[in-house]
Amino acid sequence: MVPVLILAGVLLGRWWRSSLVGAALGWPVLLVATGVMDVGAGLLGAAVLAVANTGAGVLLHQGARLAIRSLRTS
């Protein structure tokens, strides 16, 4: 579900800290709640990957935001 996390990062990229914390906490909770994973050490890896994928979306959002700002000033 990498695209879901990237999309979340793109949509919530303005509030990047909250989106990264939400991914780190929410994704493992979702995996446990749906029965995909059990509580264990593997959830830490899932949280790291969730933050990395959401971070990619945040970078896309922030890059587009900076590009639009630079176009407006020129």
Side-chain angles (χ1 to χ4, degrees):
M1 302 311 318
V2 173
V4 171
L5 292 169
I6 293 173
L7 182 63
V10 169
L11 294 176
L12 301 172
R14 180 174 177 143
W15 306 281
W16 62 273
R17 289 182 190 107
S18 299
S19 64
L20 294 177
V21 169
L25 298 176
W27 189 250
V29 168
L30 180 68
L31 291 176
V32 171
T34 58
V36 175
M37 291 183 77
D38 293 326
V39 176
L43 284 180
L44 181 61
V48 169
L49 290 175
V51 169
N53 291 323
T54 305
V58 168
L59 286 176
L60 288 172
H61 175 91
Q62 293 292 329
R65 195 170 147 212
L66 286 173
I68 291 170
R69 279 189 178 177
S70 68
L71 288 174
R72 281 185 185 173
T73 59
S74 62

